[in-house]
């Protein structure tokens, strides 16, 4: 079975082809197009590349195309991307203005070009559908809630990957199996005692922290939109809602401009005065740039804030996992996040931490009650796996 995973940006198309034949699980091809002006041409070029490379004879060889949509009204999980789902995504364009329009248009084009191939989406909100209601609500009037003003949580594919892989590495095959079957059976696969408590820290261009109890997400630092939670590269993260009227009223700024600044000029870039890449921030901080230092400190502080929150909700933690571009690569940031937490049973091994970049490793001391791990994430593989399970479940 071959499954193409397509990542749709407003002017980009990235793809990966997975081959599940003979019980295997291999990524056999990957590619992408930037500065796309005609999406139809990009999709046809993607299929031509796969044909010319000998990976497929034609689109009929693809069992499905998998997508990673973020938000639809009243729909989550792993679903067929039919018109009902696309209309439900259209109903959420105000909450996801950067993400939903290119996804809706892209999926419609894929369906037109490959009408016989199932289009399957794994919503980024899916991992939190069993989180307690109190964890997902804002304290707003009901009329606001009815408009969709609530926490959703995102990065679901990544945190699900970490939930499964960390359970495997911690010797909890029962929990790993529950995670595998989560979107087919719900969290009903039995697991044994004691509880497995994992905190997954996805720190990258966009960052979030998730608490995972026995393989199920209990909440995520991302709230109603992917602009919230920890500071992101250019996006603000959590902000007191009353900042917006203050800035608009005192400067005469329009709502559109305020929104642009919160999305494109804030986060690490806003605090540091222009640097949004942690590699640049670390170089700058090393050269004495105080604003760059502050941006790094703020990111570490916010990560500690959310890890602390989930440690309390989970009644402790068996493992803290670092994943995505920043957390997989930056030993300095991991050290800053884990500093002075020995009373909580968290003890980083400084040497192992310094030696670890972009590979699976345990970086805590043998005495540390909480295992600290680095696990490179693989969101595309999760989407391909879920699309396969969806087809096999006959949905
Ligand atoms: P992602 O969104 O997961 O691809 O992460 C991208 C981010 O990871 C970049 O914006 C950088 O801030 C960060 N990053 C990538 N490589 C490194 C590295 N070697 N050291 C520190 N940060 C890195």
């Amino acid at each position: 079975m071959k499954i193409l995973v397509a990542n749709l940006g407003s002017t980009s198309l990235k793809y990966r082809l997975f081959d599940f034949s003979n019980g295997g699980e291999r990524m056999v091809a990957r590619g992408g197009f930037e500065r796309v002006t005609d999406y139809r041409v990009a999709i046809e070029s993607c299929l031509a590349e796969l044909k010319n490379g000998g990976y497929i004879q034609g689109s009929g060889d693809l069992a499905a195309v998998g997508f990673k949509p973020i938000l639809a009204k009243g729909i989550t999980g792993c679903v067929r991307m039919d018109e009902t789902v696309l209309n439900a995504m259209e109903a959420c364009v105000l909450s996801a203005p950067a993400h939903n329009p290119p996804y809706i248009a892209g999926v419609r084009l894929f369906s037109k070009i490959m009408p016989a191939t199932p289009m399957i989406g794994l919503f980024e909100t899916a991992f939190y559908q069993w989180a307690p209601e109190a964890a997902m609500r804002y304290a707003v009037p009901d009329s606001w809630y009815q408009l969709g003003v609530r926490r959703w949580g995102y990065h679901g594919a990544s945190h699900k990957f970490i939930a499964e892989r960390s359970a495997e590495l911690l010797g909890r095959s029962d929990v790993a199996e529950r995670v595998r079957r989560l979107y087919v059976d719900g969290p009903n696969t039995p697991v044994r005692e004691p509880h497995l408590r994992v905190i997954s820290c996805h720190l990258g261009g966009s960052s979030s922290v998730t608490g995972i109890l026995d393989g199920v997400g209990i909440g995520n630092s991302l709230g109603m939109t992917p602009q919230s939670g920890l500071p992101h590269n250019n996006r603000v993260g959590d902000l007191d809602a009353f900042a917006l009227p203050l800035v608009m009223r005192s400067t005469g700024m329009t709502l559109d401009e305020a929104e642009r600044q919160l999305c494109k000029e804030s986060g690490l870039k806003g605090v540091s005065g222009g640097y949004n890449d942690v590699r640049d921030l670390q170089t700058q901080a090393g050269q004495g740039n105080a604003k760059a230092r502050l941006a790094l400190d703020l990111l570490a502080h916010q990560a500690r804030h959310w890890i602390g929150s989930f440690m309390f909700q989970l009644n402790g933690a068996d493992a803290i996992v670092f994943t995505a571009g920043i957390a997989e690569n930056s030993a300095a940031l991991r050290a800053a996040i884990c500093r002075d937490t020995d009373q909580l049973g968290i003890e980083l091994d400084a040497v192992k931490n310094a030696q670890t970049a972009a590979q699976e490793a345990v970086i805590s001391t043998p005495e540390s009650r909480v295992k600290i791990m680095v696990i490179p994430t693989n969101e595309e593989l999760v989407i391909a796996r879920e699309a396969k399970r969806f087809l096999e479940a006959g949905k």
Side-chain angles (χ1 to χ4, degrees), residues 155 202-207 233 268 276-282 299 323-331 333 357 377 379:
H155 287 159
H202 175 118
L203 308 181
S206 145
S207 296
N233 53 1
L268 300 176
N276 66 5
D277 188 306
V278 163
R279 287 164 289 200
D280 298 334
L281 287 166
Q282 286 172 338
L299 178 59
T323 194
I326 298 172
E328 286 169 26
N329 290 296
S330 176
L333 205 85
T377 195
E379 294 163 273

Side-chain angles (χ1 to χ4, degrees), residues 13 42 69 89 105-106 116 123 129 134 162 169 171 174 183 193 196 244 256 261-262 268 279 330 336 339 362 377 386:
L13 168 66
M89 288 179 70
F123 277 91
Q129 53 191 304
I162 298 303
L169 293 171
D174 56 329
Y183 302 150
E193 305 243 313
L196 184 65
L244 200 56
D256 282 352
Q261 292 196 13
L262 291 173
L268 300 176
R279 287 164 289 200
S330 176
R339 88 182 146 71
V362 175
T377 195
E386 293 307 321

Side-chain angles (χ1 to χ4, degrees), residues 141-210:
D142 195 58
S143 54
W144 289 46
Y145 175 67
Q146 298 306 331
L147 288 171
V149 180
R150 51 157 288 180
R151 308 184 70 90
W152 295 107
Y154 298 94
H155 287 159
S158 176
H159 291 300
K160 182 175 190 281
F161 181 87
I162 298 303
E164 181 179 338
R165 187 65 189 139
S166 61
E168 285 170 355
L169 293 171
L170 293 163
R172 290 295 301 265
S173 54
D174 56 329
V175 174
E177 181 60 10
R178 173 186 274 187
V179 179
R180 268 177 228 126
R181 303 208 52 82
L182 204 52
Y183 302 150
V184 179
D185 293 342
N188 301 318
T189 312
V191 295
R192 43 172 218 271
E193 305 243 313
H195 288 306
L196 184 65
R197 305 154 302 170
V198 173
I199 299 171
S200 171
C201 307
H202 175 118
L203 308 181
S206 145
S207 296
S208 75
V209 176
T210 283

Side-chain angles (χ1 to χ4, degrees), residues 9-148:
S10 51
T11 59
S12 68
L13 168 66
K14 293 184 195 135
Y15 70 84
R16 291 189 191 186
L17 180 68
F18 291 88
D19 187 348
F20 291 96
S21 47
N22 305 323
E25 193 179 68
R26 289 183 310 133
M27 188 194 68
V28 289
R30 63 188 291 177
F33 307 94
E34 303 281 348
R35 299 201 190 103
V36 172
T37 48
D38 186 340
Y39 232 87
R40 172 178 282 277
V41 173
I43 295 170
E44 280 166 351
S45 306
C46 159
L47 292 175
E49 281 186 9
L50 293 176
K51 254 199 239 174
N52 295 340
Y55 303 109
I56 57 171
Q57 307 271 309
S59 61
D61 278 357
L62 294 173
V65 184
F67 300 95
K68 193 177 63 161
I70 71 158
L71 189 61
K73 190 169 184 196
I75 293 173
T76 191
C78 188
V79 300
R80 203 176 277 269
M81 298 290 281
D82 56 18
E83 277 302 311
T84 307
V85 172
L86 296 177
N87 290 337
M89 288 179 70
E90 246 155 19
C92 291
V93 162
L94 280 179
S95 300
H99 294 81
N100 274 16
Y103 256 91
I104 297 164
V107 172
R108 285 209 171 107
L109 264 176
F110 262 101
S111 305
K112 237 185 213 158
I113 294 169
M114 309 162 62
T117 310
M119 302 291 146
I120 296 173
L122 175 62
F123 277 91
E124 284 285 72
T125 50
F127 196 53
Y128 315 102
Q129 53 191 304
W130 300 282
E133 189 174 5
M136 305 309 277
R137 289 288 286 258
Y138 293 117
V140 291
D142 195 58
S143 54
W144 289 46
Y145 175 67
Q146 298 306 331
L147 288 171

Side-chain angles (χ1 to χ4, degrees), residues 3 9 71 74 175 261 334 346 370:
I3 294 177
L71 189 61
V175 174
Q261 292 196 13
R334 294 191 299 253
I346 300 171
V370 180

